[in-house]
Amino acid sequence: MQRIPQLASILGAATLILMSAAPAHSQVLYGSIVGTVQDPSGAVVPKAVIAVVNKDTGQAREAMADDAGMYSILNVLPGRYDLKVSAPGFRQSIQNDVAVAINTVTRITAKLEVGQATEQVTVSGVAVQLQADKSDVRHELSGATIQNLPLPAYRNYQSLLALVPGATPPAFQNAVVDTPGRALRSFVNGTATNNNN
């Protein structure tokens, strides 16, 4: 009879432990495009229509600026986009080749010029801006970079971590017998290997 209260207390303690466990965080697969729409004097243009078109897939997304001229398009797949901004009484503004990367905020301030809606202004060659929207430090290695760079023995992609600022040189984490794939480990900015994304 004494086992039932002990079993109940053990189950209760296990339930509390499971309920207090930290939630698991998944990787972010999307980026976002945010910004402000302004006229030539720098005043905001409210209710402007912003459209982005993926240059590879043709997928289009649209948003409207709020009363403060600010807009945001969230959950954007990584790639290159054409961004079109239009508002009544202004020429349409087009910015080509806006790059969106995973887990980044791409900020574009659109400048509209006064004119007919049938006229358009195309902007090319956007300057790279400092990432001020998020506090994280990141580095992106594209698929083409990974395929074209000469990798050391075993062509292990994990050796590319040595190119990332703040990373220690990757080292073998187990013996060859345990991991024939020669898995590597590295510490980034002083964090443990299980905290690296």
Side-chain angles (χ1 to χ4, degrees):
M1 290 293 191
Q2 199 170 15
R3 289 185 182 187
I4 293 175
Q6 288 177 343
L7 183 60
S9 63
I10 291 173
L11 287 175
T15 303
L16 284 175
I17 291 171
L18 289 175
M19 289 175 59
S20 65
H25 298 286
S26 60
Q27 288 182 321
V28 178
L29 301 177
Y30 303 99
S32 58
I33 301 174
V34 302
T36 308
V37 182
Q38 300 176 346
D39 68 8
S41 69
V44 297
V45 178
K47 305 299 181 191
V49 176
I50 297 91
V52 293
V53 178
N54 187 310
K55 296 187 81 154
D56 296 326
T57 65
Q59 179 186 20
R61 300 269 307 273
E62 198 170 278
M64 183 176 284
D66 61 12
D67 291 332
M70 298 171 63
Y71 68 91
S72 62
I73 304 173
L74 306 177
N75 298 327
V76 179
L77 288 171
R80 302 200 80 60
Y81 288 82
D82 288 338
L83 182 130
K84 298 177 185 179
V85 182
S86 57
F90 293 93
R91 297 177 185 163
Q92 184 181 50
S93 173
I94 299 175
Q95 294 194 24
N96 296 320
D97 294 324
V98 173
V100 176
I102 293 172
N103 196 26
T104 59
V105 177
T106 302
R107 181 170 291 278
I108 302 291
T109 300
K111 297 273 190 182
L112 295 181
E113 295 181 12
V114 178
Q116 299 296 322
T118 56
E119 300 176 291
Q120 68 182 26
V121 177
T122 303
V123 179
S124 59
V126 179
V128 177
Q129 296 179 347
L130 178 66
Q131 171 74 1
D133 295 296
K134 298 174 81 176
S135 62
D136 60 345
V137 178
R138 61 177 300 280
H139 186 78
E140 182 176 339
L141 298 171
S142 68
T145 301
I146 293 172
Q147 289 176 358
N148 295 329
L149 279 175
L151 298 175
Y154 305 104
R155 288 211 33 92
N156 189 333
Y157 70 93
Q158 292 173 316
S159 62
L160 291 172
L161 283 172
L163 300 175
V164 177
T168 62
F172 295 116
Q173 62 183 4
N174 295 343
V176 179
V177 177
D178 295 341
T179 56
R182 303 297 284 174
L184 301 175
R185 71 173 179 174
S186 182
F187 300 97
V188 179
N189 295 328
T191 62
T193 55
N194 59 344
N195 291 334
N196 293 336
N197 267 340

